[in-house]
Amino acid sequence: MLSHIYYEKDQILVVQYPAHLRMPSKRLTNVSASSVQSILQIQTLKYMQDRLTKFVNQREKAFAFRKCYGQKEMMAIQIIRSMLKANHECRLPKFVKAVTDKQNTLFFLQPSKQSSCYEYFIGTIYPIIRWCAEASSQYYQIPFHRKPVSR
């Protein structure tokens, strides 16, 4: 997920995104040591919301392009969009639980291994789902599970 470097003397927090995304680091100044954890939670939440929103938008376009936008796909996209909208301004623990609750729907939207988007799913979306499941098990004692998906 995200990593960080905190320079306590200068009160600078550098938030680093996963290397494969090639996103520039975010440098935050005048950050007290006591607020580093809160800022990291906010940055993690924003990152996950942004990536999941982009993923759902991409999957909707892919289904429409391939003309395989059936009832199941439409419902899955609507479920994830509703979850993202309902948890847009929540705190990290609540968002983590929401993603964990909807992990099977996210796996249903997973592209096939032949898709050019599969690597993005495995490198970006799956780690988010996994991280949320692990964090959720700490917050709420919910185990990570992946059920087989039928289409």
Side-chain angles (χ1 to χ4, degrees), residues 4-5 19 27 30 34 47 49 56 62 65-66 70 82 111 113 119 123-124 129 134-135 138 143 148:
H4 72 284
I5 301 170
R27 182 183 167 129
N30 296 326
S34 61
Y47 166 77
Q49 288 173 334
V56 169
F65 180 76
R66 293 194 176 149
S82 296
K113 290 184 179 181
E119 291 299 319
T124 303
I129 297 169
E134 291 170 2
Q138 291 176 356

Side-chain angles (χ1 to χ4, degrees), residues 14-25:
V14 179
V15 179
Q16 300 169 323
Y17 299 96
H20 70 278
L21 294 177
R22 297 185 184 122
M23 292 175 63
S25 298

Side-chain angles (χ1 to χ4, degrees), residues 52 55 76 79-80 83 95-110 121 125-126 128-134 136-137 142-147 149:
L52 290 174
F55 170 70
I79 287 168
I80 300 303
M83 181 270 298
F95 186 77
V96 160
K97 181 164 182 354
V99 170
T100 303
D101 290 346
K102 302 298 182 213
Q103 65 183 321
N104 289 334
T105 306
L106 287 164
F107 284 126
F108 176 77
L109 293 174
Q110 170 183 333
F121 179 84
I125 303 303
Y126 181 76
I128 289 172
I129 297 169
R130 182 76 183 176
W131 189 90
C132 287
E134 291 170 2
S136 187
S137 67
I142 298 173
F144 176 76
H145 58 87
R146 179 176 179 183
K147 293 183 181 176
V149 176

Side-chain angles (χ1 to χ4, degrees), residues 12-112:
I12 295 173
L13 175 65
V14 179
V15 179
Q16 300 169 323
Y17 299 96
H20 70 278
L21 294 177
R22 297 185 184 122
M23 292 175 63
S25 298
K26 186 179 273 190
R27 182 183 167 129
L28 305 168
T29 57
N30 296 326
V31 176
S32 66
S34 61
S35 63
V36 168
Q37 194 63 32
S38 297
I39 291 171
L40 286 174
Q41 286 186 357
I42 291 167
Q43 293 299 315
T44 301
L45 178 63
K46 286 181 182 180
Y47 166 77
M48 290 191 299
Q49 288 173 334
D50 178 61
R51 293 292 140 187
L52 290 174
T53 299
K54 288 179 180 181
F55 170 70
V56 169
N57 291 341
Q58 184 280 325
R59 296 311 300 151
E60 181 177 39
K61 289 176 185 174
F63 290 139
F65 180 76
R66 293 194 176 149
K67 295 180 174 74
C68 61
Y69 196 48
Q71 189 70 24
K72 287 182 181 180
E73 290 81 10
M74 189 183 336
M75 287 298 296
I77 287 171
Q78 290 302 81
I79 287 168
I80 300 303
R81 280 214 172 112
S82 296
M83 181 270 298
L84 290 168
K85 186 176 181 180
N87 294 288
H88 181 67
E89 294 186 8
C90 69
R91 294 184 158 233
L92 186 60
K94 184 178 177 190
F95 186 77
V96 160
K97 181 164 182 354
V99 170
T100 303
D101 290 346
K102 302 298 182 213
Q103 65 183 321
N104 289 334
T105 306
L106 287 164
F107 284 126
F108 176 77
L109 293 174
Q110 170 183 333
S112 68

